[in-house]
Amino acid sequence: MPQLNPSPWFMILLFSWLVLITIIPLKIMKHTITNDPTMLAAMQPEIEPWNWPWF
């Protein structure tokens, strides 16, 4: 039964894990974030009390 021969499948498994562990994270980490989240957190909203005419 050729399915039980681990020789070709083991190398395919090792190569695929090598790609997943080394190449793909490097490509993902090279992406830049276009919206800087620190700029949004630095802005404080202006809070104005409501004028309730019936209170």
Side-chain angles (χ1 to χ4, degrees):
M1 291 175 47
Q3 293 92 343
L4 297 179
N5 184 7
S7 178
W9 302 110
F10 187 68
M11 289 307 294
I12 292 171
L13 176 74
L14 284 180
F15 184 70
S16 64
W17 273 105
L18 178 73
V19 167
L20 287 173
I21 291 174
T22 59
I23 297 173
I24 293 177
L26 293 175
K27 287 185 173 282
I28 292 173
M29 294 301 289
K30 285 183 182 179
H31 288 285
T32 59
I33 299 174
T34 56
N35 295 330
D36 191 14
T38 56
M39 293 180 67
L40 293 176
M43 295 184 343
Q44 294 291 333
E46 294 182 17
I47 300 174
E48 297 179 8
W50 288 6
N51 187 9
W52 296 92
W54 60 84
F55 184 69

